Amino acid sequence: GVIAWLPSPSARTFPALRIRDYRLFFAALLLEVFGMWTRKIAAAWLVLTLPGGNAAWLGVFVAAAGIPMFFLLPVGGAWADRFDRRRLLMVAFAAHIALSLVMAALALTGRLAPWHLVGMAAAAGVINSFRMPANQSMLFAVVGVRQLPNAVACNHVLVNVARIAGPAVAVGTLMLGPELPFCVHAVLCSLAVMILAMIRAPTRPSHDGRSVLGGLFVSARYLWSRGDPVVILLLVLISGVLAQPMFSD
């Protein structure tokens, strides 16, 4: 059916892909990440080349996507501990679709400007603050503990394949019209939403009744009490601030 085009999983190399719900989840993420890279590269190029655009606008564009996530990701994680993760992902994808359709309409009418794209990046950063924790935590619900390492490895393969193919599609569609990358993203995300709706695994977590702020406090106290997670977070923060912006766009 919908996922028949996926390669037949090897029992040894890709055991996670033998799980029906993970195959659906994998297909949905493949479409969404592919579309995300298509839109991201196209938007960055348009920020540089639209009238009034320049490298300074590109820096603002990258910052606008990252700053909301820096502050809101913990809140997104708390939400993922309280609400149905599949529905959170579907709502996040729907919000991304709306953003892309607005950008496509602006590009089609010739009104698209760099500040529109900066606004889109900021809105996408807010959406991703809730999408990413739901995405990561949903893996456990879909595959369980035993296949979790293999599912994580498959997801990394997916992201890197989309990271290569997405920019190529962005370039090809930009040659045909500035609105097309946004349309491609909207179509791919729409397909991803339909595939997510087919997942049967229970994706609503059970929590201890703490408020969002209470959950954030407990998480911070846990991190502070253990050295290893703090070191890992600092390494991610340093690489994200100093290195990632050089390779993101």
Side-chain angles (χ1 to χ4, degrees), residues 37-121:
W37 276 102
T38 300
R39 185 179 73 175
K40 185 176 183 179
I41 297 300
W45 177 254
L46 289 171
V47 167
L48 277 172
T49 57
L50 283 173
N54 50 42
W57 270 112
L58 181 59
V60 174
F61 172 81
V62 175
I67 290 174
M69 294 174 62
F70 180 82
F71 292 102
L72 293 178
L73 271 173
V75 179
W79 276 45
D81 285 336
R82 285 159 176 76
F83 301 106
D84 188 306
R85 291 146 183 177
R86 181 172 63 95
R87 290 186 179 180
L88 279 176
L89 282 178
M90 293 171 71
V91 171
F93 287 2
H96 274 303
I97 292 168
L99 277 180
S100 288
L101 291 177
V102 170
M103 294 299 109
L106 289 170
L108 192 60
T109 57
R111 298 178 180 178
L112 188 63
W115 70 268
H116 291 128
L117 296 166
V118 170
M120 181 202 74

Side-chain angles (χ1 to χ4, degrees), residues 4-244:
W5 53 271
L6 283 173
S8 178
S10 166
R12 293 183 179 180
T13 308
F14 304 113
L17 287 174
R18 297 167 63 189
I19 302 171
R20 173 193 176 274
D21 282 338
Y22 178 67
R23 292 199 303 273
L24 289 169
F25 186 52
F26 183 92
L29 287 186
L30 179 62
L31 292 170
E32 190 272 336
V33 175
F34 188 91
M36 182 272 291
W37 276 102
T38 300
R39 185 179 73 175
K40 185 176 183 179
I41 297 300
W45 177 254
L46 289 171
V47 167
L48 277 172
T49 57
L50 283 173
N54 50 42
W57 270 112
L58 181 59
V60 174
F61 172 81
V62 175
I67 290 174
M69 294 174 62
F70 180 82
F71 292 102
L72 293 178
L73 271 173
V75 179
W79 276 45
D81 285 336
R82 285 159 176 76
F83 301 106
D84 188 306
R85 291 146 183 177
R86 181 172 63 95
R87 290 186 179 180
L88 279 176
L89 282 178
M90 293 171 71
V91 171
F93 287 2
H96 274 303
I97 292 168
L99 277 180
S100 288
L101 291 177
V102 170
M103 294 299 109
L106 289 170
L108 192 60
T109 57
R111 298 178 180 178
L112 188 63
W115 70 268
H116 291 128
L117 296 166
V118 170
M120 181 202 74
V126 173
I127 297 167
N128 287 334
S129 299
F130 296 88
R131 177 191 66 82
M132 292 174 66
N135 181 9
Q136 297 295 330
S137 57
M138 189 168 164
L139 266 183
F140 176 79
V142 171
V143 303
V145 176
R146 184 176 180 181
Q147 300 296 347
L148 187 59
N150 186 258
V152 171
C154 289
N155 275 21
H156 280 290
V157 172
L158 176 155
V159 169
N160 284 295
V161 169
R163 204 168 191 167
I164 295 170
V169 174
V171 172
T173 51
L174 276 172
M175 293 175 65
L176 300 176
E179 72 281 356
L180 288 182
F182 302 107
C183 294
V184 168
H185 176 265
V187 170
L188 294 180
C189 276
S190 299
L191 293 174
V193 169
M194 290 187 285
I195 294 174
L196 284 175
M198 299 169 63
I199 292 178
R200 300 171 184 167
T203 55
R204 185 180 182 88
S206 58
H207 63 90
D208 53 12
R210 289 192 184 96
S211 66
V212 172
L213 288 178
L216 291 175
F217 177 77
V218 170
S219 300
R221 187 171 59 184
Y222 170 78
L223 289 173
W224 190 256
S225 66
R226 297 175 60 90
D228 293 345
V230 174
V231 173
I232 293 172
L233 287 174
L234 286 175
L235 290 173
V236 172
L237 177 63
I238 292 170
S239 65
V241 172
L242 299 179
Q244 189 65 28

